[in-house]
Each structure stands twice: as C-alpha cells, then as structure tokens.
Amino acid sequence: MEKTYTNALPLTMTSPEKQETVCIFGTGDFGRALGYKMLQCGYSVVFGSRNPQMSSLLPNGAEVCSYSEAARKSDVVILTIHREHYDFLTELTDVLNGKILVDVSNNLKINQYPESNAEYLAQVVPGAHVVKAFNTISAWALQTGAMDASRQVFVCGNDRNAKQRVMDIVRTLGLTPLDQGYLVAAKEIENYPLQLFPMWRLPFYLSAALVVFFFFYCILRDVIYPYVNEKQDTTFRLAVSIPNRVFPITALILLALVYFPGVIAAILQLYRGTKYRQFPAWLDHWMLCRKQLGLVALGFAVLHAIYTLVIPIRYYVRWRWRNITIAQIMEKKENPFSTSSAWLSDSYLSLGILGFFLFVLLGITSLPSVSNTVNWREFRFVQSKLGYLTLILCTAHTLVYGGKRFLSPLSLRWALPSAYVLALIIPCTVLVIKFILIMPCIDKTLTRIRQGWERNSEYSKPAVNGRSDI
C-alpha cells in the first residue's frame, strides 16, 4: 500500500465531499488569504465585517455581511483581528454561544500581556469553544502556496471535539496540525513566531567573542609587534592571513564546545550517582544549542578552506617565492630536502582534509531531511563516534601545524604564544576527559547510572533471596 507523507503535500487539497461554511471575522491581509485558500479547498466562506459595504479585495465567491449575520451562518468562526478589537464580541455572546471560535492573533512582543490572547478571548466569550490555531502561518504562504513555507499549525484548546474540528480544517488546507494540548499552551504558541533565533543566540555571541578576541590577539602578535620591534608594515595581513588563522581556531573551539557539555553532564552524573537530578539551567541551554554550535563551526571551517585555496594567488606569496628562487639562483645553491618536514607537511594536509570531510558529514546528517531517514543508533553513531573522531583529526591537524615550532621559545612574541596554541586548550581538555570517561571502570558505572541505577537509592541495592520490592 502506497504511503502518503503530509509534508510532501502542496498547499492545495481536494475539496471536501460536503461543502462546509466557515465564518471569518476580519477582512485584512490574513483574513483574505485564509478565505481564498478555503474557497480553493471547497469551503463556503462568509466574511464578517464592521463595514460590509466598504469591504473590497475579497476573493470571488465569498460572502460578506455584518458580524452577527456572518456568525449565524456557521458554527466555526475564525477571528483574524487583533486583541485590541475584541471588545465588540461582548455584544455577540448570545450568537457565539456554543460555537467554535478560532483565535489566530499574535502580539507585538513576547509576553506582552499576562494571559494569552486565546485565554483572554475565552474570558470575553465564555460560552464559545476557543481554539488557538493558524498564528504560525503567514498570509504570503497561504496566497502563494509556497513549497518552502512553514506548514506546521500549532493547535490547542480545552474542548476535544472543537480542537479536532479545527485540525480537520487544517489538514484539508494541506497543512500539518500539531496538537499542543489545552488552551494554557496558547501563550507559548503565541510567543513562538516572535522568537528571533532563540537557539542561535549563544552560538552567535560565542563565535563573535572568539573571532574578536583572536583577531586582536593576532593583530598584536603579527602586526603591532613587527612594527614596534622592526618597523615593518605588515597591515596587509589583516585581509587574508589573520582571518585564515582566526577562522580555523574558532571552528576548532566551537567543535570542542559541542562535546564539552556532554562530558560535564557525565561528570555530574558520576558525582551525584543518579540521572534523575536536573542539570543546571546553563548546562541545559548549552546542550540544547549543540547542533547550532556545530553548524556555526562548520561555517568557519568552510571559510578556512576557501581562504586556504586562495593562498597561492596572493601577491605576497608570489613575491616571496620569486625572491627565494632568485636568491637561490644568484647564490647557486638549493635547500636540502627534509624528509621530516615533508612528513609534517603531508600529515598536516591529510589530517585537515579528513577532518573537514567528517565535519561536512556531521553537518549533513544534522539536517532534518537526513536525520529523519536514520534510526537513533545510526544518528548517535554519526554525531557521537564520528564527531569525536572529527575533533581528534582537527586537533591533530592543529598540533602538526605547529610542528617543530610548537611551544618553542622562539615563537613567543612579548611572551605571547601563537594563537593556535591557545586554540588547543579546550579541545585537548575535552579529549582527555572523554578518554578518562571511556575507561572500563568508569564507563561501566556511568552506563548503569544512565540505565536507571542510583548509588544511594534503596531500589538499587541487591535484592534479598533474589526478590525485589519493585
């Protein structure tokens, strides 16, 4: 039997067998777009307006009349008006009694009122069955039927039948209803469209702080220091050289920060001896942002790869190699081949290529369209096992980059080490702690804790005579 997936449906569905009338209060952009879509799907639409004679731009086939007349023609009334204009509904309490009242309104800012608009509407019209829906769908998506628009409609309400009726309408319009429970969830649903990248703020702020810090750190070492000590103008490094150091450093640190909260959580569980105690709020938020941290890190890694590809065509690089070549010709000598340097160079490149490949693989598998096609074990294998392998390869790539210069006193400038040395602190810390946690003696205890065992619980003690109180 052929399967049909909801998220593959267009925003136009076949008409219902029996034409149903739906009332829409309000003739604004969203009301007109919703009415037009309902007419396409076979519904009979009647608009309620304060000035029926003045209403224009309504879709063909729709009827428009006063609020009271429109409400009498349908038992489903959709309010596409703002909360500030709900006062007129008090005059229609008798007409709206027992009807399904769908609130689609949003506010201008998060938590603008003590209660949600839907809960306030239920207070204004206590005899109606209020349902919150359609506030996450834009008028543009309804009008154009864009395939890339959001198709999820959060629905909540206290009356099960009324909520089911609204969800049926949502499905008929080709959208995906998501039942969020009772009407108390309306406040969260109304806040959702007002949120601006809530899970991306920490990654953006953190990456910005890292970029600014290491950018000025590299300026201090590579621009200011040569000018003060040798009167050399190396400001040209600001365009390519310094960004090509800052971007991989930021990518490596962000990648390590993806796995850092996991090891912190494991240490807390070992210390507490249970998994049933809540983590601190900052750690919870950090763990929720791991996907975003990884994607931002991947972006910096891509920038590093692009900047590296343009190195051979830079004027400074071409000028330097020409001078070296001419100097060797004039002096009639050549540099001897160094096998160790060749090994370091090839290893550095190989580790970088492999690390970048796995980095891209992690980013691809984090996409919903890909992650939905794998089971939990496969997803965990890619994101955890291959993720740590990626971190190992990228850390080794940075270590080999230092080569013989790593921690050499000659590389210090004003007692400041190279930037890549600072970049290795967090990744090496994560890898060392992870190595300790996977040791059999510790991993066995941690696995038991994550399976429900508690160190100080009476239920975790061995049962007497093979019997248990559970």
Side-chain angles (χ1 to χ4, degrees):
M1 184 175 179
E2 186 179 352
K3 295 182 180 179
T4 302
Y5 295 94
T6 306
N7 55 4
L9 295 173
L11 285 179
T12 303
M13 295 282 289
T14 56
S15 302
E17 296 180 359
K18 183 178 180 181
Q19 195 173 49
E20 182 180 355
T21 301
V22 176
C23 173
I24 299 177
F25 278 7
T27 56
D29 293 338
F30 188 82
R32 294 197 305 269
L34 185 59
Y36 178 74
K37 180 56 60 180
M38 286 188 165
L39 286 171
Q40 281 187 327
C41 295
Y43 286 97
S44 176
V45 178
V46 54
F47 283 93
S49 174
R50 55 187 172 182
N51 296 313
Q53 294 79 14
M54 301 295 293
S55 300
S56 58
L57 303 177
L58 295 178
N60 295 330
E63 183 182 358
V64 58
C65 51
S66 65
Y67 288 128
S68 59
E69 294 177 359
R72 290 188 177 92
K73 296 184 178 183
S74 175
D75 57 350
V76 178
V77 180
I78 302 177
L79 262 67
T80 62
I81 57 179
H82 293 287
R83 171 177 174 149
E84 293 79 9
H85 307 300
Y86 284 177
D87 295 340
F88 79 95
L89 296 173
T90 56
E91 303 174 0
L92 303 175
T93 52
D94 293 337
V95 180
L96 297 175
N97 186 39
K99 295 184 181 293
I100 300 173
L101 208 53
V102 183
D103 176 56
V104 305
S105 64
N106 285 318
N107 295 319
L108 297 178
K109 58 183 180 180
I110 296 177
N111 297 327
Q112 184 173 354
Y113 300 101
E115 71 284 320
S116 66
N117 295 344
E119 291 173 307
Y120 174 72
L121 180 61
Q123 297 173 9
V124 175
V125 191
H129 304 299
V130 177
V131 177
K132 185 74 183 184
F134 292 111
N135 69 305
T136 56
I137 299 295
S138 66
W140 172 81
L142 291 171
Q143 288 175 333
T144 61
M147 296 296 294
D148 58 346
S150 174
R151 314 167 88 67
Q152 294 182 342
V153 178
F154 299 108
V155 182
C156 69
N158 294 332
D159 187 274
R160 180 181 300 178
N161 295 329
K163 186 167 55 175
Q164 186 61 47
R165 181 84 174 276
V166 175
M167 293 174 68
D168 291 340
I169 295 176
V170 172
R171 292 190 187 93
T172 305
L173 297 183
L175 304 171
T176 305
L178 298 177
D179 190 349
Q180 299 297 297
Y182 292 101
L183 202 61
V184 293
K187 193 175 187 68
E188 182 179 353
I189 295 176
E190 292 172 3
N191 288 335
Y192 178 77
L194 302 176
Q195 295 175 350
L196 183 62
F197 303 117
M199 291 292 103
W200 290 89
R201 290 181 183 177
L202 176 62
F204 284 156
Y205 291 154
L206 191 57
S207 59
L210 290 172
V211 168
V212 171
F213 172 78
F214 282 104
F215 190 81
F216 283 103
Y217 187 88
C218 291
I219 289 177
L220 183 63
R221 276 182 44 89
D222 301 332
V223 178
I224 298 178
Y225 179 86
Y227 181 79
V228 172
N229 289 271
E230 303 172 6
K231 300 300 179 181
Q232 292 183 1
D233 182 9
T234 57
T235 54
F236 64 90
R237 294 181 180 275
L238 294 172
V240 176
S241 297
I242 291 180
N244 199 31
R245 294 184 183 180
V246 173
F247 293 156
I249 288 173
T250 305
L252 179 60
I253 294 177
L254 290 177
L255 179 62
L257 291 176
V258 171
Y259 298 96
F260 205 1
V263 298
I264 294 177
I267 293 173
L268 282 176
Q269 289 177 337
L270 286 170
Y271 174 75
R272 295 170 174 176
T274 179
K275 72 170 186 177
Y276 296 110
R277 289 182 60 183
Q278 189 174 5
F279 293 131
W282 58 268
L283 183 57
D284 269 338
H285 185 66
W286 188 356
M287 296 183 74
L288 290 174
C289 295
R290 287 181 294 179
K291 174 182 176 180
Q292 289 76 10
L293 281 170
L295 291 176
V296 174
L298 176 59
F300 282 107
V302 171
L303 286 175
H304 171 52
I306 296 173
Y307 270 80
T308 302
L309 291 175
V310 303
I311 287 179
I313 64 174
R314 292 178 60 204
Y315 169 79
Y316 168 73
V317 174
R318 291 184 283 114
W319 170 84
R320 184 179 177 183
W321 282 110
R322 280 199 303 266
N323 282 1
I324 293 175
T325 303
I326 293 174
Q328 290 178 341
I329 293 174
M330 297 294 293
E331 298 176 4
K332 296 182 179 180
K333 67 175 184 179
E334 62 181 10
N335 294 328
F337 180 80
S338 174
T339 304
S340 61
S341 297
W343 265 106
L344 285 175
S345 176
D346 288 357
S347 300
Y348 161 73
L349 293 174
S350 179
L351 290 170
I353 293 172
L354 292 175
F356 183 71
F357 169 76
L358 292 179
F359 218 144
V360 174
L361 182 62
L362 291 175
I364 293 175
T365 54
S366 67
L367 298 174
S369 58
V370 178
S371 60
N372 291 338
T373 62
V374 297
N375 59 39
W376 170 244
R377 186 176 182 182
E378 295 168 342
F379 180 80
R380 187 172 179 271
F381 172 80
V382 172
Q383 294 295 326
S384 181
K385 302 298 189 296
L386 293 186
Y388 273 106
L389 179 58
T390 305
L391 182 59
I392 291 173
L393 291 174
C394 293
T395 303
H397 172 70
T398 308
L399 284 169
V400 177
Y401 169 78
K404 300 176 181 179
R405 298 172 290 122
F406 188 72
L407 295 180
S408 172
L410 298 177
S411 64
L412 299 178
R413 296 182 178 180
W414 285 332
L416 297 175
S418 298
Y420 68 86
V421 176
L422 300 181
L424 289 169
I425 296 175
I426 296 179
C428 290
T429 302
V430 173
L431 291 176
V432 169
I433 298 176
K434 182 62 177 178
F435 177 76
I436 296 174
L437 291 174
I438 63 175
M439 296 177 66
C441 56
I442 298 178
D443 182 64
K444 182 178 179 180
T445 303
L446 184 59
T447 301
R448 292 179 63 194
I449 290 174
R450 289 176 174 174
Q451 290 177 347
W453 177 81
E454 295 184 87
R455 182 185 302 126
N456 299 322
S457 174
E458 60 180 78
Y459 299 109
S460 62
K461 297 179 182 179
V464 180
N465 297 326
R467 296 182 179 180
S468 174
D469 294 334
I470 301 178

